[in-house]
Amino acid sequence: MSSGETLPAAQAGTVESMDCLVTIAASSGGRRIEISGSGAARFRSAMENKIIQVLDSLGGPGDLSVTVQDNGALDIVLGARVEAAYLRFREAMLR
Amino acid sequence: MRRTMLYLPGNNPNMLLRGHLFGSDGLIFDLEDAVSRSEKDSSRILVREVLRHSGFDGREVTVRINGLDTEYWRDDLAAVVPCRIHGIRVPKVDTPQTIRDLDDALSALESRASVPIGATKVFCLLETALGVWNAYDIATASPRVTAIIPGGEDLAADLRTSRSKEGTELEWIRRMMIVAARAAGVDALDTVFPSVTDEEGLRREALFTKQLGFDGKSVIHPAQIPIIHEIYDPTEAEVEKARKIVAAAREAAARGLGAVSVDGRMVDLPVVRRAEFTLERAGAMTEGGAR
């Protein structure tokens, strides 16, 4: 992609209690995962594993940027939000 | 036992995960009206994941899918049927053909997901005049149908009226719903009471629908649950009377008698059945509160 082009990005989730807002965008140089919010300090490693597991199960490419704004989302909610954001991202890429 | 079935918005993890703690007999994960068009996809995934990984204390779990006149319903079914839910709540059922189409789609999904064919029950929302008129035919269109439910706002709009505090516009419809449900051998469940702060109005409506013969009511707020349970649960006096009737009927049967008198009133088979139903409800109450 040329430097002047807008990179596709997609979001899913909310910042409400027990939820998280996941943003997925194209990136260069491998997967980048950024986590902020209530679970970031204690559960970062488990959350990263969950994100990678979901993306791998969907055949997600290596070059992706994943940003999570967490407000106490359980593992299953994080997984659901990553899946929804990735499927939206993939659709945006096809347009 | 379906005294109360609580609607939970399909895009709200907090409610989906904690809704069962409020003590309703059943849960309705809502993919229809509670979810905006832009969130249909993410809610479907979220509901699927919550269904896969949670137990809900053994409550009856259903999902309200989007109507068969939308582009969403097949994806909704594909997401939730493999999770082995108790049933599907289907909006705007107008004709028996809708149920036959749904039956076919459910059977195909159940077969693919190794769910026993027919395990997913169907709760029909009759939200148009045509749907209400066809209530009996809809209720008998498939053995999957386990309940019929009159609509609220949508039905009022289709009748070219609006919902009133007194429920005048739904009165005849509720009576008809009971007749159709009993004739078909399915449950009659009432629509929601929309005003969550009007406790007196809710009591009045629940007393009326219980007297008509309804099995329970859908609820949109946890605060409505104890009120409806209190009204739909048998009173101590009713339980005591039912015990006497059942005991007398058993004694009469043992002595080869057809009918018996309890407190000066002849007791025949329908009265005994009613008493057994009362005891069944009372038994469920004492076993675990909500169930």
Side-chain angles (χ1 to χ4, degrees), chain A residues 12-14 17-19 50 74 76-77 79-81 83-84 87-88, chain B residues 11 13-14 17-18 38-39 41-43 45-46 48-50 53-54:
Chain A
T14 71
S17 172
M18 295 184 78
D19 205 350
K50 181 70 183 180
L74 296 183
I76 55 173
V77 176
R81 295 318 197 185
E83 179 177 340
L87 294 177
R88 287 174 176 179
Chain B
N11 201 35
N14 195 351
L17 290 162
R18 294 174 61 240
S38 64
E39 296 302 325
D41 59 340
S42 64
S43 301
I45 294 168
L46 179 63
R48 184 199 71 204
E49 287 304 297
V50 173
H53 295 98
S54 305

Side-chain angles (χ1 to χ4, degrees), chain B residues 125-239:
Chain B
L125 287 157
L126 310 182
E127 301 181 277
T128 62
L130 182 60
V132 172
W133 196 254
N134 287 329
Y136 174 78
D137 292 338
I138 288 168
T140 52
S142 160
R144 290 180 187 275
V145 176
T146 187
I148 52 176
I149 306 140
E153 300 296 337
D154 287 308
L155 181 55
D158 197 52
L159 295 169
R160 298 187 194 168
T161 179
S162 57
R163 290 197 73 178
S164 63
K165 267 195 162 184
E166 301 73 30
T168 312
E169 66 287 347
L170 294 182
E171 190 173 311
W172 180 85
I173 283 161
R174 285 181 165 129
R175 293 175 194 275
M176 185 186 173
M177 209 57 50
I178 285 293
V179 176
R182 296 295 169 250
V186 303
D187 279 356
L189 303 176
D190 194 31
T191 187
V192 299
F193 185 75
S195 177
V196 293
T197 54
D198 182 5
E199 189 179 314
E200 210 37 56
L202 174 64
R203 279 183 185 281
R204 203 169 41 241
E205 187 169 281
L207 280 166
F208 175 61
T209 55
K210 183 197 176 189
Q211 184 57 34
L212 285 181
F214 274 85
D215 297 284
K217 193 165 173 61
S218 311
V219 292
I220 48 170
H221 193 282
Q224 297 179 322
I225 295 167
I227 297 168
I228 296 171
H229 284 186
E230 183 195 319
I231 289 167
Y232 271 80
D233 285 344
T235 63
E236 277 183 35
E238 286 170 334
V239 172

